[in-house]
């Protein structure tokens, strides 16, 4: 769980933020969308709750959400919930969670 | 190790504000690191760039306070709440059946203070000035801010005849009222009658009165074998999850429950335990009287109640800013606001995030996200170990300036199950942790 990758991302964000301080808070596309998941999957997708999402790959999260959205996986609550989002929104959500560090919440 | 590296890097780059530079989750890291070393939660190096006062420490207020700290650019956040801790309404009907204790329902503000650097004032707000953006506390202290977020929950209409009697508790704000109703139920004769009255919409937690009725009916079966439950619904029909709740009332619990629609309560008499309605007079041994609801007092005394015939606060759902002219720096979230979305804790948490994101952007010179999404989710117990679920997602609809439900995402479970009951516990823990920790 302690790959160097999240640090690199954080430093990247840091540099970007320093360059444009006014945009520091608006420069995180997907974060507000992804926050819809926090009630059940924990703040930043780190639990406690249902399956943890933070730190999974963009493709893994996106494929899972698209699979649920297709309805092929039954009529569960996540199937219906996934149907609330557009394809672009699911991509933003997936990329945002993939950029998150896993923590020991 | 990584945190230290990041922090020293930030220092080396000599930015004006560490918090500004890090933003997001790294702000948390700063506080976590600082936490052990200091009594005062805020780092000495912190320079605030703006101030927000949050009034009300329920699901909406606690969440907005947390996320303003997580997402905002060095915003000083002060949370004003009169109680020492929050008592959750969600799952509180399981206190009535004796399955949970009130202490299971209690959440304090310690983590919000220690982990996120929120300043906490335990006190009573007597008034706010929506134009000057000032708050007056009961002790005479006046606070000012760049923005105020109001999250005062609900208040009740007076029920004619009730007066100050405690014989017909609402238990619709969890706490002493919940304990009172639980003790009245426990003391009821085994052939006693419980009355539960459902107010007209909009009220807090649409499925919850039907859930409570189902749970009480199941509890009656096991604990009061000759007991009955009369549900007096001011509405013409089940207001939500009709498939599940009608099956629960008319099939599963049919020997216990009598359902009376269109039964608006007009008056009560606590001395005789009578409830007067548009469908006749009913008498019970225990009466759970859930009165009609409106926005919390402060919304109304501040003149922000410009929607729903003066009962709730009109808001711009991109930011939850008041739509009262001149009061744009006052935001109203949760059950006090008038939107197309349900009044419920899970939704209040999401509205709080939209509000926190919008305020963070505005205070950094930007504008709110033009296309927010929100969601509601709830589990409802039908028996003491089985539950249903309900979910719906909302997208911003620019032409109507409102959140619009996504039809395909609006659904309930087909029937109830033990698995859903277990999921309800997981959801509760997740929601409360996302809000208070």
């Amino acid at each position: 769980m302690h790959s160097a990758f999240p640090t690199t991302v954080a430093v990247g964000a840091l540099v970007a933020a320093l360059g444009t301080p006014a945009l520091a808070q608006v420069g995180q596309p997907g974060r507000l969308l992804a926050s819809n998941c926090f009630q059940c999957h924990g703040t930043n997708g780190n639990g406690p709750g249902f399956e943890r999402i933070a730190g999974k790959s963009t493709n893994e999260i996106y494929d899972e959400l698209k699979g649920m959205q297709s309805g092929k996986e039954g009529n569960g609550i996540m199937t219906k919930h996934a149907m609330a989002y557009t394809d672009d929104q699911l991509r933003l959500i997936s990329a945002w969670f993939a950029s998150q560090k896993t923590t020991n919440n | 190790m990584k945190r230290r590296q990041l922090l020293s890097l930030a220092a080396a780059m000599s930015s004006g504000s560490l918090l500004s530079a890090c933003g997001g989750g790294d702000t948390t890291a700063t506080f976590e690191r600082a936490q052990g070393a200091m009594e005062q939660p805020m780092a000495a190096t912190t320079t605030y760039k703006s101030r927000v006062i949050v009034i009300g420490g329920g699901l909406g207020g606690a969440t907005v306070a947390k996320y303003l700290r997580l997402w905002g650019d060095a915003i000083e956040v002060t949370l004003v709440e009169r109680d020492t801790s929050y008592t959750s309404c969600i799952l509180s009907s399981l206190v009535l059946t004796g399955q949970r204790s009130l202490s299971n329902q209690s959440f304090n503000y310690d983590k919000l203070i220690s982990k996120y650097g929120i300043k906490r004032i335990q006190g009573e707000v007597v008034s706010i000035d929506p134009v000057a953006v000032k708050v007056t506390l009961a002790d005479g202290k006046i606070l000012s801010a760049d923005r105020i977020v109001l999250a005062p929950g609900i208040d009740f209409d007076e029920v004619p005849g009730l007066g100050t009697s405690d014989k017909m508790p609402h238990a619709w704000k969890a706490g002493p009222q919940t304990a009172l109703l639980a003790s009245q139920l426990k003391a009821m004769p085994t052939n006693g009658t419980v009355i539960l009255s459902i107010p007209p919409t909009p009220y807090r937690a649409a499925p919850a009165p039907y859930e409570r009725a189902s749970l009480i009916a199941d509890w009656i079966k096991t604990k009061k074998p000759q007991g009955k439950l009369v549900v007096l619904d001011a509405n013409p029909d089940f207001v939500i999850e009709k498939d599940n709740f009608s099956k629960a009332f008319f099939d599963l619990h049919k020997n216990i429950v009598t359902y009376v629609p269109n039964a608006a309560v007009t008056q009560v008499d606590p001395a005789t335990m009578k409830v007067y309605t548009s469908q006749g007079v009913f008498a019970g041994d225990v009466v759970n009287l859930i009165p009609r609801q409106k926005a919390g007092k402060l919304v109304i005394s501040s003149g922000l109640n410009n929607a729903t015939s003066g009962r709730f606060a009109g808001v711009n759902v991109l930011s939850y800013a008041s739509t009262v002219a001149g009061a744009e720096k006052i935001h109203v979230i949760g059950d006090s606001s008038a939107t197309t979305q349900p009044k419920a804790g899970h939704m209040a948490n999401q509205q709080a995030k939209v509000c926190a994101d919008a305020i963070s952007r505005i205070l950094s010179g930007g504008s709110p996200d033009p296309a927010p999404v929100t969601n509601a989710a709830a589990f409802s117990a039908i028996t003491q170990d089985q539950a249903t679920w309900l979910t719906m997602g909302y997208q911003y609809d620019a032409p109507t300036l409102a959140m619009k439900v996504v039809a395909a995402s609006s659904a309930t479970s087909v029937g109830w199950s033990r698995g859903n009951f277990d999921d309800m516990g997981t959801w509760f823990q997740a929601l409360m942790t996302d809000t208070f920790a």
Side-chain angles (χ1 to χ4, degrees):
Chain A
M1 294 299 113
H2 288 275
S3 90
F5 179 66
T7 310
T8 314
V9 170
V11 172
L14 184 74
V15 172
L18 285 169
T20 51
L23 292 176
Q25 311 316 317
V26 295
Q28 292 212 27
R31 184 177 62 189
L32 181 57
L33 286 169
S35 75
N36 276 280
C37 312
F38 298 177
Q39 286 101 317
C40 294
H41 297 270
T43 301
N44 298 341
N46 264 308
F50 297 95
E51 181 184 0
R52 284 191 185 205
I53 320 172
K56 288 180 155 192
S57 76
T58 304
N59 285 347
E60 188 183 355
I61 300 167
Y62 176 75
D63 289 348
E64 207 172 327
L65 286 168
K66 287 303 276 187
M68 288 185 286
Q69 194 182 52
S70 74
K72 286 176 192 156
E73 297 176 17
N75 254 342
I77 191 167
M78 268 310 300
T79 289
K80 297 301 180 182
H81 182 66
M83 290 181 184
Y85 303 89
T86 65
D87 188 60
D88 285 349
Q89 289 170 339
L90 290 184
R91 286 181 193 279
L92 283 168
I93 289 169
S94 305
W96 190 84
F97 278 118
S99 76
Q100 291 304 295
K101 292 179 264 195
T102 52
T103 64
N104 295 322
N105 268 346
Chain B
M1 275 310 283
K2 278 188 309 183
R3 278 179 194 154
R4 286 211 182 91
Q5 285 162 7
L6 181 58
L7 288 167
S8 48
L9 175 67
M13 293 172 85
S14 64
S15 73
S17 161
L18 181 62
L19 291 175
S20 156
C22 292
D26 295 316
T27 308
T28 323
T30 310
F31 292 122
E32 280 172 347
R33 179 173 170 270
Q35 200 180 325
M38 300 183 308
E39 285 286 34
Q40 295 296 318
M42 293 307 303
T45 53
T46 299
T47 308
Y48 295 118
K49 294 186 176 177
S50 51
R51 288 174 296 176
V52 176
I53 298 166
V54 178
I55 302 172
L59 286 173
T63 305
V64 79
K66 169 176 166 174
Y67 282 90
L68 280 166
R69 293 294 306 149
L70 269 178
W71 293 346
D73 182 5
I75 301 172
E76 180 191 48
V77 178
T78 304
L79 175 64
V80 186
E81 160 62 51
R82 67 166 80 84
D83 292 333
T84 52
S85 59
Y86 171 71
T87 306
S88 169
C89 290
I90 301 176
L91 300 197
S92 68
S93 287
L94 294 172
V95 176
L96 304 179
T97 56
Q99 294 173 269
R100 290 176 65 82
S101 72
L102 267 179
S103 62
N104 296 146
Q105 300 295 111
S106 178
F107 297 86
N108 64 40
Y109 304 105
D110 295 354
K111 284 267 174 64
L112 295 182
I113 296 165
S114 66
K115 199 169 164 186
Y116 302 101
I118 288 161
K119 296 188 171 174
R120 159 96 167 101
I121 293 179
Q122 186 176 348
E124 180 90 25
V125 173
V126 290
S127 66
I128 67 165
D129 181 334
V131 179
V133 199
K134 287 186 194 300
V135 172
T136 303
L137 301 174
D139 64 7
K141 200 173 170 191
I142 295 174
L143 312 171
S144 62
D146 298 291
R147 299 268 160 171
I148 295 171
V149 183
L150 287 177
I154 51 157
D155 200 2
F156 298 106
D157 278 9
E158 276 185 30
V159 180
L162 183 62
T164 55
S165 171
D166 63 1
K167 290 208 165 158
M168 298 182 171
H170 53 76
W172 217 241
K173 290 181 183 179
Q177 283 268 315
T178 314
L180 182 61
L181 181 58
S183 69
Q184 292 173 352
L185 284 167
K186 204 171 173 187
M188 184 179 85
T190 54
N191 64 348
T193 296
V194 180
I195 291 175
L196 185 154
S197 78
I198 304 176
T201 58
Y203 60 82
R204 163 179 282 175
Y210 304 100
E211 174 196 50
R212 179 176 290 177
S214 301
L215 262 176
I216 290 176
D218 192 57
W219 171 85
I220 284 174
K221 265 182 214 170
T222 54
K223 296 289 192 336
K224 309 281 176 185
Q226 292 85 44
K228 298 287 180 201
L229 170 66
V230 179
V231 179
L232 303 174
D233 194 342
N235 303 286
D237 202 352
F238 295 87
V239 304
I240 196 163
E241 259 191 274
K242 183 178 178 179
D243 285 357
N244 285 331
F245 291 125
S246 62
K247 255 169 62 187
F249 282 22
F250 304 142
D251 185 9
L252 182 68
H253 300 310
K254 67 179 175 195
N255 296 327
I256 312 281
V257 175
T258 303
Y259 178 63
V260 188
N262 291 308
V265 174
T266 53
Q267 189 187 332
V268 297
D269 181 5
T272 56
M273 291 299 276
K274 281 186 180 155
V275 179
Y276 296 78
T277 79
S278 46
Q279 300 294 323
V281 185
F282 299 82
D285 297 283
V286 174
V287 177
N288 179 195
L289 183 72
I290 306 169
R292 190 176 180 194
Q293 293 158 31
K294 57 192 173 191
K297 270 193 193 79
L298 210 50
V299 165
I300 293 172
S301 64
S302 311
L304 301 173
N305 53 324
N306 62 337
T308 334
S309 308
R311 303 185 71 84
F312 292 95
V315 292
N316 173 341
V317 290
L318 294 181
S319 64
Y320 292 85
S322 168
T323 52
V324 170
E328 294 84 1
K329 291 179 178 171
I330 314 300
H331 302 248
V332 184
I333 56 172
D335 294 350
S336 272
S337 66
T339 75
T340 53
Q341 304 156 112
K343 299 188 188 302
H346 185 108
M347 174 55 78
N349 169 296
Q350 193 57 42
Q351 290 180 356
K353 289 166 183 161
V354 174
C355 179
D357 185 69
I359 290 176
S360 299
R361 289 167 183 248
I362 292 166
L363 293 178
S364 296
S367 51
D369 187 322
V373 176
T374 60
N375 79 98
F379 291 82
S380 296
I382 298 295
T383 72
Q384 291 167 86
D385 63 4
Q386 304 214 21
T388 66
W389 57 255
L390 158 74
T391 187
M392 49 193 81
Y394 291 80
Q395 294 267 358
Y396 184 66
D397 182 55
T400 58
L401 309 175
M403 298 303 292
K404 190 175 177 184
V405 70
V406 179
S409 77
S410 175
T412 70
S413 59
V414 179
W416 43 85
S417 72
R418 175 65 203 233
N420 291 339
F421 191 91
D422 293 341
D423 285 350
M424 178 167 73
T426 305
W427 164 68
F428 178 76
Q429 191 204 4
L431 177 59
M432 294 301 155
T433 308
D434 184 42
T435 301
F436 292 102

